[in-house]
């Protein structure tokens, strides 16, 4: 069994969560990505958000939301993703970059449109009354 180690940014505004869709993908994902060798969670968060959304996330002030595991979307059977999630502020203007085709503010009703691990995160945030 293979596990993909990822870090995600949870940005909630008015009961909606910022999500991204990569070019050529049919589902939405939380901003973030795979850890590079030697990176801490905060290093990965800072780098991935800058690459994907052209902003500087306040990784030093980031608050751990939870760590979630699910089957990895679009990967061979038996592959899981382990997503460590943080809430944090940011500086700059959100603008899709690199492989990101678009960004959108999603609600809990959009749950079927996101990856399996993001569905678990949506459930967690909705139960905590953070996602409408």
């Amino acid at each position: 069994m293979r596990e993909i180690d990822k870090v995600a940014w949870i940005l909630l505004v008015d009961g909606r969560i910022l999500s991204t869709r990569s070019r050529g993908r049919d589902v939405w994902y939380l901003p973030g990505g795979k850890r590079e060798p030697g990176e801490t969670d905060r290093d990965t968060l800072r780098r991935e958000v800058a690459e994907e959304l052209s902003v500087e996330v306040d990784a030093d002030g980031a608050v751990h939301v939870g760590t979630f595991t699910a089957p990895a979307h679009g990967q061979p059977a038996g592959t899981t993703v382990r997503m460590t999630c943080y809430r944090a502020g940011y500086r700059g203007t959100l603008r899709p970059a690199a492989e990101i085709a678009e960004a959108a503010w999603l609600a809990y009703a959009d749950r079927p449109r996101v990856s399996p691990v993001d569905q678990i995160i949506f459930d967690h945030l909705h139960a905590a009354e953070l996602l409408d």
Side-chain angles (χ1 to χ4, degrees):
M1 183 177 280
R2 180 174 158 242
E3 183 176 77
I4 300 169
D5 181 22
K6 297 179 98 175
V7 176
W9 185 33
I10 305 292
L11 182 61
L12 294 156
V13 175
D14 297 329
R16 296 191 179 266
I17 190 167
L18 181 65
S19 293
T20 58
R21 189 184 60 74
S22 297
R23 287 178 181 77
R25 296 292 183 135
D26 60 348
V27 299
W28 292 80
Y29 300 88
L30 295 175
K34 296 176 191 166
R35 181 189 321 272
E36 291 185 356
E39 278 187 330
T40 66
D41 287 357
R42 284 171 169 74
D43 292 338
T44 305
L45 184 67
R46 187 178 291 114
R47 178 184 52 77
E48 284 287 343
V49 171
E51 288 174 4
E52 293 182 355
L53 293 168
S54 307
V55 297
E56 182 182 344
V57 71
D58 177 17
D60 294 332
V63 175
H64 183 250
V65 172
T67 301
F68 307 88
T69 302
H73 179 262
Q75 298 294 320
T79 304
T80 59
V81 62
R82 178 179 182 265
M83 186 88 75
T84 305
C85 301
Y86 291 90
R87 290 184 75 174
Y90 70 96
R91 288 180 291 285
T93 301
L94 294 166
R95 186 175 63 251
E99 76 274 11
I100 303 303
E102 60 183 318
W105 295 96
L106 302 183
Y108 188 70
D110 296 302
R111 183 183 181 277
R113 300 171 58 199
V114 304
S115 73
V117 72
D118 287 7
Q119 289 181 5
I120 294 168
I121 296 164
F122 272 43
D123 292 343
H124 174 80
L125 296 171
H126 184 67
E129 299 183 354
L130 297 171
L131 183 63
D132 293 339

